[in-house]
């Protein structure tokens, strides 16, 4: 799969109902595409690691889209569009105490 990945982006300002509906549909499409990419990888990757995979291995995004892609992955996990365990645990950010 080497197609460009459309990253959902909520523009500035107060969103209209139409823009909100488009954003939600874009999130669903993004999550479905990420599930397809996950089938091609046999190990867990952090959200930022997914950005590197999408750029280098799949040529689906560019380097300047990393922040938006990482945010979209985490948003999809929060909303339940992607499984919570979709990404690997980040040992460096583990809670202490």
């Amino acid at each position: 799969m080497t197609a460009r990945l459309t990253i959902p982006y909520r523009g500035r300002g107060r969103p209209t109902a139409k823009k909100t509906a488009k954003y939600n549909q874009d999130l669903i499409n993004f999550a479905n595409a990420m599930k397809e990419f996950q089938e091609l990888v046999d190990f867990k990757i952090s959200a930022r690691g997914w950005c590197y995979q999408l750029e280098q291995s799949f040529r689906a995004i560019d380097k300047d889209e990393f922040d938006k892609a990482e945010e979209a992955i985490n948003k999809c996990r929060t909303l339940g569009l992607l499984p919570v365990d979709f990404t690997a645990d980040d040992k460096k950010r583990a809670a202490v105490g």
Side-chain angles (χ1 to χ4, degrees), residues 6 26 35 82 85 91-92:
T6 302
D26 288 347
K35 289 175 187 175
L82 289 173
D85 64 345
K91 304 293 184 204
K92 295 178 186 174

Side-chain angles (χ1 to χ4, degrees), residues 47-86:
R48 192 68 175 188
W50 267 111
C51 296
Y52 287 104
Q53 285 293 322
L54 291 171
E55 182 212 14
Q56 295 172 358
S57 298
F58 302 119
R59 304 278 187 230
I61 66 171
D62 293 325
K63 183 77 94 177
D64 63 336
E65 297 173 303
F66 273 32
D67 291 337
K68 290 179 186 175
E70 185 176 7
E71 183 180 322
I73 290 169
N74 290 326
K75 182 73 169 179
C76 288
R77 290 175 56 222
T78 302
L79 295 175
L81 299 174
L82 289 173
V84 175
D85 64 345
F86 181 79

Side-chain angles (χ1 to χ4, degrees), residues 26-50:
D26 288 347
L27 279 173
I28 292 169
N29 294 341
F30 179 81
N32 290 336
M34 289 303 299
K35 289 175 187 175
E36 290 179 25
F37 283 121
Q38 186 182 34
E39 292 176 3
L40 302 174
V41 178
D42 60 351
F43 53 93
K44 290 283 188 177
I45 307 171
S46 67
R48 192 68 175 188
W50 267 111

